[in-house]
Amino acid sequence: MREKFYPESEQILFTNREIELETLDFYLEEFLNGIKENVCIFGLRRIGKTILIREFVKRHSEIKSIYLNFEFLFSVPIELSQNFILESAKWFFDKELEIYDLVALPGGEVVKRLLRELEKGESSKTVVIKLAFEYLRELGKEEKIVVFMDEFQEILKLKNYRDLRNILGIFREYINDENILFVISGSFPHIMRDMIANGESPIYNQFKELKLDYFEKESAYELISKVIECGEESKRLIYQLSGGHPFYIVSIAKRTKLIHRIYELSINPTTIKRAFLIETLYPEGGIYKHSSYLLNTVLSLAKYKAPLIGILNTLLKEDGLTQSEIAKKIKVSQGEARLYISELERLDILNRIEDRYYIEDKVFKMWLDLRKTGELGENPKDKPMEIYLKILERRYLRAKTELGKAKESEIREKLRDKFGIEFKPYLEKGIEFDGVGINNKYVNILEVKWKNKPADLRDIKKFLEKVEKSEFSTEKKRLLFVSKSGFTPSALKFANSNGIEVLDNNLKRYEK
Ligand SMILES: Nc1ncnc2c1ncn2[C@@H]1O[C@H](COP(=O)(O)OP(=O)(O)O)[C@@H](O)[C@H]1O
Ligand SMILES: [Mg+2]
């Protein structure tokens, strides 16, 4: 049962998520001590929610677990209730059972009531759904259980039935049992958060939040190493292409391994770029499937489909526009633009930083952009692949670093004129700074971000971490951070409280 749930091949790859596992351990311990707090895990699709649950269940064989995935449980309420009960029983009794087998087991009374209700010509949807939760309650009386409800947002589909419009209110009646710890998990962070953190929701304030994010560099490198052997440069490229999204990391690394075998391509950056293109642009590629699924889901959930495509196409040409710029480009009023944009934000397709909008998932963005371009050929060594490689490099890989380098040296010169300090690029023991200049007072360390997005908290923290790891950690220092597009408020606050000087694109002190 548990073996099938979490195959060995997946266990081997599991990386990081230590803090999240410890957090879940904490809530489990509290639960066992009689202080229960339900948990809500959320994060983008394929960021690693289910695998986290699997790992947790594996590590806690001492406690009864029930795992329900709402994505696969139902299309109609009656089906949901039956499947819900069957799955719960399978986990609880640790074997496959038929609905009639359950009558004689703990919770059997509830099953009898369900069967009776179903025999009626028109069974009540409310009753049927309540019985499913009732069943869990009965199992909980036998023994403490952790109940995982994955892709929980799917439950909202039940709202289409008039009797079940208040499905969350129904759920609310069951979530305070002392013997059941509920861990819900879902793929649309905005929608999930709206369920548990919006005062109007029946389950407001009933769940502790646990958010899953992209991997940082160390974890990404570790995961890559579990799939293929490759050098630092290759790892950096996979990290860059994937943005630290674990599913993308695994997809690119596995495809690289495969084409390395089959086509005898050596494992180097060019092969990795080919692997990325295959994964992203061939319909059989994992990233392709994921991206087209994402687009279809978004379009099926969205009320306004045509303008959404319009906005995405606009941002493909130029990311980081304001609402009024978007309104102008797609020729709609401000009000309409706000409506469409907020829908895309709610579906986690767009991300707002200050007042500008960006496509959240960079790989999805590349897929949207490149899939229209034409034929790829069958072999990664084919001609069309070369064309795509050039596009990829030109549009998504090269611009960033080369422009960055030119700009950095220009900034170093200007800083020399302004402060009288000679900054030099620095690279020692894997630690890179855009400039280091030593004068008789301090070590001056420079970081430059020359992108169309404001530098965020993560950027500043990374800089500080680098400094702390470097040979300068104990020296007297002056830290300078230059950002072309300003800073987010949280970044600014963090910089101020850590004595980092923030400069704008004219090297003036950044003022908001
Ligand atoms: N912590 C992790 N360690 C290793 N691989 C991971 C991790 N998180 C995600 N992955 C990879 O991404 C895939 C998708 O993860 P999954 O848990 O199914 O995502 P979600 O449930 O959030 O949609 C996994 O099958 C695995 O290949
Ligand atoms: Mg999942």
Side-chain angles (χ1 to χ4, degrees), residues 92 160 209 221 239 245 309 363-364 368 392 399 416 426 439 469 474 482 491:
F92 192 83
N160 293 330
E209 295 184 18
Y221 281 27
Y239 180 56
H245 190 306
I309 299 287
V363 173
F364 180 61
L368 283 171
L392 180 70
R416 183 191 58 206
Y426 173 97
N439 57 8
K469 273 193 207 158
T474 55
V482 179

mmCIF file of all heavy atoms in Angstrom, residues 92 160 209 221 239 245 309 363-364 368 392 399 416 426 439 469 474 482 491:
data_model
loop_
_atom_site.group_PDB
_atom_site.id
_atom_site.type_symbol
_atom_site.label_atom_id
_atom_site.label_comp_id
_atom_site.label_asym_id
_atom_site.label_seq_id
_atom_site.Cartn_x
_atom_site.Cartn_y
_atom_site.Cartn_z
ATOM 1 N N PHE A 92 -6.892 3.052 5.997
ATOM 2 C CA PHE A 92 -7.062 2.784 7.423
ATOM 3 C C PHE A 92 -6.868 1.303 7.729
ATOM 4 O O PHE A 92 -6.198 0.938 8.698
ATOM 5 C CB PHE A 92 -8.445 3.258 7.889
ATOM 6 C CG PHE A 92 -8.597 3.276 9.380
ATOM 7 C CD1 PHE A 92 -8.149 4.356 10.124
ATOM 8 C CD2 PHE A 92 -9.171 2.197 10.049
ATOM 9 C CE1 PHE A 92 -8.279 4.376 11.507
ATOM 10 C CE2 PHE A 92 -9.299 2.208 11.437
ATOM 11 C CZ PHE A 92 -8.841 3.305 12.162
ATOM 12 N N ASN A 160 -21.022 23.962 -7.758
ATOM 13 C CA ASN A 160 -21.940 24.031 -8.891
ATOM 14 C C ASN A 160 -23.299 23.415 -8.586
ATOM 15 O O ASN A 160 -24.268 23.646 -9.302
ATOM 16 C CB ASN A 160 -21.335 23.325 -10.110
ATOM 17 C CG ASN A 160 -20.118 24.075 -10.616
ATOM 18 O OD1 ASN A 160 -20.052 25.294 -10.467
ATOM 19 N ND2 ASN A 160 -19.161 23.368 -11.183
ATOM 20 N N GLU A 209 -0.511 27.877 7.608
ATOM 21 C CA GLU A 209 -0.010 27.874 6.224
ATOM 22 C C GLU A 209 1.390 27.291 6.107
ATOM 23 O O GLU A 209 2.259 27.597 6.919
ATOM 24 C CB GLU A 209 0.051 29.311 5.693
ATOM 25 C CG GLU A 209 -1.287 29.960 5.564
ATOM 26 C CD GLU A 209 -1.202 31.354 4.947
ATOM 27 O OE1 GLU A 209 -0.160 31.675 4.316
ATOM 28 O OE2 GLU A 209 -2.174 32.099 5.085
ATOM 29 N N TYR A 221 21.318 22.062 -7.145
ATOM 30 C CA TYR A 221 22.519 21.335 -7.542
ATOM 31 C C TYR A 221 22.498 19.909 -6.996
ATOM 32 O O TYR A 221 22.873 18.954 -7.679
ATOM 33 C CB TYR A 221 23.774 22.059 -7.024
ATOM 34 C CG TYR A 221 24.182 23.266 -7.850
ATOM 35 C CD1 TYR A 221 23.234 23.991 -8.587
ATOM 36 C CD2 TYR A 221 25.516 23.687 -7.897
ATOM 37 C CE1 TYR A 221 23.614 25.102 -9.324
ATOM 38 C CE2 TYR A 221 25.905 24.805 -8.648
ATOM 39 C CZ TYR A 221 24.947 25.506 -9.352
ATOM 40 O OH TYR A 221 25.321 26.595 -10.086
ATOM 41 N N TYR A 239 20.017 25.104 -13.481
ATOM 42 C CA TYR A 239 19.382 25.936 -12.448
ATOM 43 C C TYR A 239 18.777 27.189 -13.082
ATOM 44 O O TYR A 239 17.644 27.577 -12.803
ATOM 45 C CB TYR A 239 20.415 26.301 -11.380
ATOM 46 C CG TYR A 239 19.855 27.157 -10.270
ATOM 47 C CD1 TYR A 239 18.759 26.744 -9.526
ATOM 48 C CD2 TYR A 239 20.434 28.384 -9.961
ATOM 49 C CE1 TYR A 239 18.244 27.521 -8.496
ATOM 50 C CE2 TYR A 239 19.928 29.173 -8.934
ATOM 51 C CZ TYR A 239 18.832 28.731 -8.217
ATOM 52 O OH TYR A 239 18.333 29.514 -7.215
ATOM 53 N N HIS A 245 12.691 25.368 -10.120
ATOM 54 C CA HIS A 245 11.463 24.579 -9.999
ATOM 55 C C HIS A 245 11.835 23.087 -10.072
ATOM 56 O O HIS A 245 12.348 22.636 -11.094
ATOM 57 C CB HIS A 245 10.539 24.975 -11.157
ATOM 58 C CG HIS A 245 9.147 24.438 -11.047
ATOM 59 N ND1 HIS A 245 8.883 23.107 -10.881
ATOM 60 C CD2 HIS A 245 7.939 25.062 -11.067
ATOM 61 C CE1 HIS A 245 7.566 22.934 -10.824
ATOM 62 N NE2 HIS A 245 6.976 24.112 -10.925
ATOM 63 N N ILE A 309 -5.544 35.803 -23.146
ATOM 64 C CA ILE A 309 -4.533 35.465 -24.144
ATOM 65 C C ILE A 309 -3.867 36.742 -24.647
ATOM 66 O O ILE A 309 -2.653 36.813 -24.811
ATOM 67 C CB ILE A 309 -5.189 34.710 -25.333
ATOM 68 C CG1 ILE A 309 -5.824 33.403 -24.841
ATOM 69 C CG2 ILE A 309 -4.180 34.450 -26.435
ATOM 70 C CD1 ILE A 309 -4.868 32.320 -24.487
ATOM 71 N N VAL A 363 9.545 29.356 -17.346
ATOM 72 C CA VAL A 363 9.561 28.246 -18.310
ATOM 73 C C VAL A 363 8.249 28.226 -19.089
ATOM 74 O O VAL A 363 8.238 28.054 -20.315
ATOM 75 C CB VAL A 363 9.807 26.906 -17.577
ATOM 76 C CG1 VAL A 363 9.661 25.743 -18.541
ATOM 77 C CG2 VAL A 363 11.199 26.901 -16.947
ATOM 78 N N PHE A 364 7.173 28.444 -18.391
ATOM 79 C CA PHE A 364 5.865 28.549 -19.045
ATOM 80 C C PHE A 364 5.897 29.686 -20.064
ATOM 81 O O PHE A 364 5.391 29.571 -21.174
ATOM 82 C CB PHE A 364 4.799 28.790 -17.971
ATOM 83 C CG PHE A 364 3.396 28.927 -18.498
ATOM 84 C CD1 PHE A 364 2.790 27.883 -19.193
ATOM 85 C CD2 PHE A 364 2.666 30.091 -18.275
ATOM 86 C CE1 PHE A 364 1.486 28.006 -19.656
ATOM 87 C CE2 PHE A 364 1.360 30.221 -18.739
ATOM 88 C CZ PHE A 364 0.776 29.185 -19.436
ATOM 89 N N LEU A 368 5.191 29.347 -24.047
ATOM 90 C CA LEU A 368 4.204 30.153 -24.768
ATOM 91 C C LEU A 368 4.860 30.850 -25.956
ATOM 92 O O LEU A 368 4.310 30.938 -27.030
ATOM 93 C CB LEU A 368 3.627 31.236 -23.847
ATOM 94 C CG LEU A 368 2.587 30.830 -22.814
ATOM 95 C CD1 LEU A 368 2.313 32.000 -21.871
ATOM 96 C CD2 LEU A 368 1.295 30.357 -23.460
ATOM 97 N N LEU A 392 16.943 30.545 -28.214
ATOM 98 C CA LEU A 392 16.996 30.385 -26.759
ATOM 99 C C LEU A 392 18.134 31.216 -26.181
ATOM 100 O O LEU A 392 17.970 31.954 -25.219
ATOM 101 C CB LEU A 392 17.188 28.904 -26.412
ATOM 102 C CG LEU A 392 17.277 28.547 -24.936
ATOM 103 C CD1 LEU A 392 15.931 28.723 -24.270
ATOM 104 C CD2 LEU A 392 17.754 27.103 -24.749
ATOM 105 N N ALA A 399 21.353 37.640 -23.328
ATOM 106 C CA ALA A 399 21.083 39.051 -23.032
ATOM 107 C C ALA A 399 21.438 39.367 -21.587
ATOM 108 O O ALA A 399 22.143 40.328 -21.308
ATOM 109 C CB ALA A 399 19.616 39.340 -23.272
ATOM 110 N N ARG A 416 33.886 54.706 -9.301
ATOM 111 C CA ARG A 416 35.251 55.172 -9.058
ATOM 112 C C ARG A 416 35.284 56.691 -9.074
ATOM 113 O O ARG A 416 35.853 57.339 -8.203
ATOM 114 C CB ARG A 416 36.192 54.615 -10.143
ATOM 115 C CG ARG A 416 37.642 55.003 -9.926
ATOM 116 C CD ARG A 416 38.494 54.675 -11.132
ATOM 117 N NE ARG A 416 37.973 55.350 -12.327
ATOM 118 C CZ ARG A 416 38.157 54.914 -13.567
ATOM 119 N NH1 ARG A 416 38.847 53.807 -13.795
ATOM 120 N NH2 ARG A 416 37.660 55.562 -14.584
ATOM 121 N N TYR A 426 35.230 40.225 -8.804
ATOM 122 C CA TYR A 426 35.844 39.353 -7.802
ATOM 123 C C TYR A 426 35.292 37.946 -7.946
ATOM 124 O O TYR A 426 34.077 37.745 -8.051
ATOM 125 C CB TYR A 426 35.517 39.913 -6.418
ATOM 126 C CG TYR A 426 35.947 39.031 -5.248
ATOM 127 C CD1 TYR A 426 37.151 39.260 -4.580
ATOM 128 C CD2 TYR A 426 35.132 37.985 -4.806
ATOM 129 C CE1 TYR A 426 37.534 38.475 -3.511
ATOM 130 C CE2 TYR A 426 35.508 37.190 -3.730
ATOM 131 C CZ TYR A 426 36.711 37.442 -3.085
ATOM 132 O OH TYR A 426 37.090 36.663 -2.023
ATOM 133 N N ASN A 439 39.847 50.323 0.224
ATOM 134 C CA ASN A 439 40.601 51.540 0.534
ATOM 135 C C ASN A 439 41.064 51.466 1.987
ATOM 136 O O ASN A 439 40.839 50.451 2.656
ATOM 137 C CB ASN A 439 39.781 52.805 0.237
ATOM 138 C CG ASN A 439 38.463 52.821 0.999
ATOM 139 O OD1 ASN A 439 38.233 51.970 1.856
ATOM 140 N ND2 ASN A 439 37.623 53.760 0.683
ATOM 141 N N LYS A 469 29.644 34.454 3.725
ATOM 142 C CA LYS A 469 30.421 33.251 3.418
ATOM 143 C C LYS A 469 31.820 33.603 2.929
ATOM 144 O O LYS A 469 32.692 32.746 2.856
ATOM 145 C CB LYS A 469 29.715 32.448 2.310
ATOM 146 C CG LYS A 469 28.681 31.477 2.840
ATOM 147 C CD LYS A 469 28.289 30.522 1.706
ATOM 148 C CE LYS A 469 26.879 30.011 1.902
ATOM 149 N NZ LYS A 469 26.306 29.552 0.630
ATOM 150 N N THR A 474 34.500 38.994 8.274
ATOM 151 C CA THR A 474 34.830 39.647 9.543
ATOM 152 C C THR A 474 35.503 41.011 9.364
ATOM 153 O O THR A 474 35.854 41.653 10.334
ATOM 154 C CB THR A 474 35.773 38.754 10.383
ATOM 155 O OG1 THR A 474 36.902 38.443 9.571
ATOM 156 C CG2 THR A 474 35.091 37.465 10.800
ATOM 157 N N VAL A 482 23.283 48.167 -6.209
ATOM 158 C CA VAL A 482 22.732 49.023 -7.251
ATOM 159 C C VAL A 482 21.639 48.272 -7.990
ATOM 160 O O VAL A 482 21.843 47.132 -8.405
ATOM 161 C CB VAL A 482 23.835 49.403 -8.275
ATOM 162 C CG1 VAL A 482 23.261 50.272 -9.386
ATOM 163 C CG2 VAL A 482 24.986 50.116 -7.582
ATOM 164 N N ALA A 491 12.519 44.483 0.475
ATOM 165 C CA ALA A 491 13.952 44.473 0.203
ATOM 166 C C ALA A 491 14.612 45.700 0.830
ATOM 167 O O ALA A 491 15.673 45.624 1.448
ATOM 168 C CB ALA A 491 14.196 44.455 -1.301
#
